[in-house]
Amino acid sequence: MTGTDVARLTRNRNTPKRATLLELLFDLVYVAAFALLALRLAGSVTWHGVGGTVVLLMAVWWTWSITARVTDFYDPQKRPIEVVIATTMLGTALMTIAIPSAFTQHAAVFAGAYVGIHVVRGGVMVSTLHHARRRVARFQFWFGMSGILWIVGIFVGSPARAVLWTSALAVDFLSAAIRYPTPGLGRVPTEQYGRTSEHLAERYQQVVILALGDLTLIAALTFSRLGFDLARVVALVASFAMMLLLWQLYAYAGGVVSVLVSRRNPSTGPRLAPYTHFLMVAGVVAVAAGSRLVITRPTGHTPVGWVCVLFGGPALFLIGRTIFEYAFAGRLSRARVGWLIVLIVAAPSTTFLPPVFVTVLASVGMAGVAATDHLSTLGKLPRWLDPPASQQ
């Protein structure tokens, strides 16, 4: 392939910034993945269960994030990139199927699909982009390091498997954060992170919408098989309200901030967005798991693990959203930090309440966040709650 052919695969000013239909189809695979992860968490709200779900979510999220980055740098309407998207869809579908038993009988399916996604993508890119092999080689070097840990994890017992897979994900997440330093090749240049950020911002907005849609889906499906009673209806309404409140929190200058700031500081947005959005998506998965638990049993004693999910999910989303705005816009909302402290402090005292009251209180707390956001836009918050003048 000539240099001209390579250039045709790279995004340029004439490439549409909107996501393609294939990208939207690709995102739909993750609806099932997020839903199964939420169900897995709801089925085991223990340290072991939460830890396993986090590991699987990190792996699922990383396949989406890396693919979004590829389609942001290269034109997703070109055949080689479409092949990358399609094969990643297949690999993600296999990972999704294996989620319920990923640490037991289907470990080979989950780990093999995860590693296969990166191997196939690298093979397609190397065979197609001869003049970009240095760029691809950096990614493949680090994915090769993590891939060894994934594969070895298949052949060991469950505790050791969890340690190896966690280490593999640490390699993936940390190597990306430090721009894939590779012997003989150096790091990925920072200017390569600044292309077509409008497209990347839209991709992140879409995946947040899909995750929030899963929250409604799980609540509705759980409710439909159990029937109507007052406590369960209240839990369903609280779940729906939480979905709207989380969207409101994200939509408050969410995508706009990432676009505007990426133009001012091109490398910031694409490098930090995977981590801040991972926290938000993890928060939504936890909220969905909590909704299933409460709708299934809205009355009676509330276990400590349930409280951690019901309050921890919104808190995690709020942490991700607050870091997101601070990183992109240099604004730290004191009001949001205050509400985060309220959620953390209030959570332990709710163990004496029925689950339906706990989920209502969590929704009330997020309503307070949304209200202060609204008052902030109107300039009606006390000055000590506003971001510092130097950060506005």
Side-chain angles (χ1 to χ4, degrees), residues 9 19 32 59 62 71 79 89 94 144 172 174 185 248 259 270 283 291 310 315 336 339 349 369:
L9 288 182
W62 205 240
T71 59
R79 183 63 64 186
M89 287 174 60
L94 292 173
D172 287 339
L174 293 176
L185 299 175
Q248 175 61 34
V259 172
S291 296
L310 292 171
R336 287 184 187 168
W339 278 110
S349 63
V369 178

Side-chain angles (χ1 to χ4, degrees), residues 245 248 335 339 364-378 381:
L245 290 167
Q248 175 61 34
W339 278 110
V364 169
M366 295 308 290
V369 178
T372 52
D373 276 354
H374 179 66
L375 292 175
S376 178
T377 61
L378 298 177
L381 276 184

